[in-house]
Amino acid sequence: MNLDIKITHVEQSQLKTVPQDYSKLAFGQNFTDHMMIMRYSEPNGWSPAEIIPYGDITISPAASVLHYAQEIFEGMKAYKTSTGKIQLFRPRLNFERLNTSAERMCMPQVDIDYVLAALKELLKIEERWIPSQKGTALYIRPTMIASEPFLGVHAAKEYLFFIILSPVGSYFKDGFKPVKIMVEDKYIRAAPGGVGFSKTGGNYAASLKAAQEAAKKGYSQVLWLDAIERKYIGEVGAMNIAFRINDEIITPELDGTILPGITRRSVIEFCKKRGIPITERRISVEEIIDAVKSGTLKEAFGMGTAAVIAPVGAIFYKDTEYLINNFEVGEYSRLLFDEITGIQIGEKEDLFGWIEPVN
Ligand SMILES: Cc1ncc(COP(=O)(O)O)c(C=O)c1O
């Protein structure tokens, strides 16, 4: 593919120091030396990608994104194997989801082959930033914003698309341990017909209040219920959720209010291949609480790029905290974590064709 990318390298003397101690690295606070950027305007379409030194961008204070939040983003990771290979995990699905989000938010589509090729160029330039210790990765944040300076409420005619990179340590700084979650029955995240399935900033802004209140009570994530009956389970924080009742894994179906997670999809595909029963269906919080009480709820876990699998050890609902699996990591949680992270870092064979090589 003829990439036609303009690359402006950071001067050697200006290169930043790559973090060495990943155990202390906070999420999303360090950024690499370079970024990728493209500009869109009607009727010209997208400009060629440019790789430039990482730095502030200038937009007008009238830019639509600042007023009406026309914004979408993605999150994925690049890994380095023990033999020095750089690899991505199903990145096409991230760019497909970006285009789905773009369609809902009246934003332009990107050419998936082109932006993936540009991302690979950026990763090759930033190779020294991709860690290879277990649990670490280079987090990738593609973002599209409406940059047209215009205060009318309409779809903008100008956009910026950029990709920034941030080295991340393990989600489980104190080992692979369960998290405590709280069922949210006051606030909602998304409603039918809304934008819950899109990765758009407003969904996250709207979730902050509930997350703050849950954190005050000692819960790290909010488990969202449906907007109409406050009965059916959606997703948890920035993860999809699954429950194991007896030997069956159940995860809420994609009803348009939850994000179609790539980890969730990978878990489903993995379980189907391994013969582990897994069902996508509506599941009520009452069904879960009943299963806890009767002892049939064997485990629960979140699924997302950040943690891959986050075992749930306790669930708070209507003034009561219920323990799950004695606050221990469940059998399927461990299996899925080991298998999927093993494929991501090149320790396990990629039988699914999930890995996209970079170099
Ligand atoms: C709201 C929400 N749900 C689910 C997920 C999990 O999606 P994925 O597995 O693609 O990271 C994320 C993270 O991106 C998210 O932000």
Side-chain angles (χ1 to χ4, degrees):
M1 168 176 242
N2 177 14
L3 265 187
D4 184 23
I5 295 185
K6 190 175 161 210
I7 302 175
T8 309
H9 286 275
V10 174
E11 279 184 36
Q12 199 71 21
S13 63
Q14 302 296 313
L15 290 174
K16 299 175 200 168
T17 307
V18 175
Q20 296 302 319
D21 187 355
Y22 280 80
S23 64
K24 295 205 183 70
L25 202 63
F27 176 78
Q29 290 185 359
N30 295 271
F31 298 95
T32 67
D33 295 298
H34 300 85
M35 60 196 269
M36 185 281 242
I37 192 159
M38 284 161 58
R39 286 160 217 282
Y40 178 95
S41 62
E42 279 181 18
N44 306 324
W46 287 108
S47 68
E50 277 185 65
I51 292 176
I52 57 173
Y54 177 90
D56 294 349
I57 50 172
T58 306
I59 52 171
S60 160
S64 310
V65 63
L66 300 176
H67 303 272
Y68 310 120
Q70 210 190 354
E71 187 268 1
I72 54 174
F73 65 99
E74 268 305 322
M76 56 181 138
K77 286 175 174 172
Y79 307 87
K80 196 183 273 169
T81 68
S82 56
T83 57
K85 278 195 266 170
I86 306 172
Q87 49 191 39
L88 294 161
F89 184 73
R90 316 189 83 180
R92 279 174 192 281
L93 296 184
N94 288 94
F95 288 121
E96 279 172 19
R97 188 169 65 188
L98 182 88
N99 276 342
T100 306
S101 301
E103 200 282 326
R104 178 64 180 84
M105 301 299 288
C106 301
M107 300 171 84
Q109 299 285 295
V110 296
D111 176 332
I112 294 177
D113 288 326
Y114 183 78
V115 290
L116 182 55
L119 169 62
K120 288 184 182 177
E121 283 310 302
L122 178 63
L123 289 170
K124 282 188 229 161
I125 292 172
E126 301 294 52
E127 176 166 1
R128 71 191 187 101
W129 287 90
I130 310 173
S132 57
Q133 295 100 302
K134 227 180 173 142
T136 63
L138 187 64
Y139 184 78
I140 301 165
R141 172 52 62 86
T143 308
M144 194 192 296
I145 60 172
S147 52
E148 186 189 4
F150 179 69
L151 292 184
V153 182
H154 76 169
K157 295 190 174 66
E158 292 169 24
Y159 297 88
L160 289 179
F161 175 65
F162 53 85
I163 302 180
I164 55 176
L165 308 172
S166 173
V168 288
S170 174
Y171 184 89
F172 298 101
K173 297 255 184 294
D174 311 314
F176 188 48
K177 286 198 185 134
V179 296
K180 291 169 71 167
I181 65 172
M182 190 188 121
V183 178
E184 176 55 67
D185 52 10
K186 183 164 123 202
Y187 304 113
I188 59 146
R189 175 185 174 273
V195 295
F197 65 94
S198 306
K199 213 163 160 60
T200 184
N203 283 336
Y204 296 80
S207 74
L208 298 176
K209 181 95 175 141
Q212 268 186 358
E213 291 183 11
K216 268 190 220 149
K217 293 187 178 142
Y219 295 91
S220 65
Q221 306 273 341
V222 165
L223 185 64
W224 298 104
L225 297 181
D226 77 277
I228 295 168
E229 297 180 71
R230 302 286 199 282
K231 188 172 167 190
Y232 297 102
I233 291 171
E235 56 190 325
V236 57
M239 286 186 279
N240 295 109
I241 183 89
F243 302 92
R244 175 182 171 190
I245 298 182
N246 292 317
D247 267 335
E248 183 191 21
I249 299 177
I250 301 156
T251 188
E253 63 195 353
L254 299 178
D255 63 354
T257 70
I258 65 176
L259 195 79
I262 290 152
T263 319
R264 174 188 180 278
R265 176 162 166 177
S266 307
V267 164
I268 293 170
E269 290 172 16
F270 180 89
C271 288
K272 290 201 166 145
K273 191 156 188 146
R274 280 289 182 94
I276 299 171
I278 186 158
T279 311
E280 296 172 74
R281 67 162 165 89
R282 262 191 355 171
I283 183 158
S284 71
V285 62
E286 293 298 343
E287 182 179 345
I288 294 305
I289 301 301
D290 286 349
V292 177
K293 288 180 181 160
S294 66
T296 53
L297 187 84
K298 303 290 181 206
E299 54 186 302
F301 53 88
M303 304 168 278
T305 297
V308 181
I309 299 293
V312 176
I315 184 165
F316 182 86
Y317 180 54
K318 290 201 193 297
D319 300 327
T320 307
E321 184 178 281
Y322 299 90
L323 271 193
I324 300 175
N325 195 32
N326 234 350
F327 212 81
E328 278 164 27
V329 175
E331 178 197 350
Y332 286 160
S333 304
R334 183 163 304 277
L335 173 79
L336 290 163
F337 181 80
D338 288 347
E339 293 291 332
I340 297 174
T341 57
I343 293 172
Q344 288 170 335
I345 59 174
E347 277 184 358
K348 294 208 187 257
E349 197 186 341
D350 175 24
L351 297 170
F352 298 86
W354 285 343
I355 294 302
E356 176 90 29
V358 173
N359 58 351

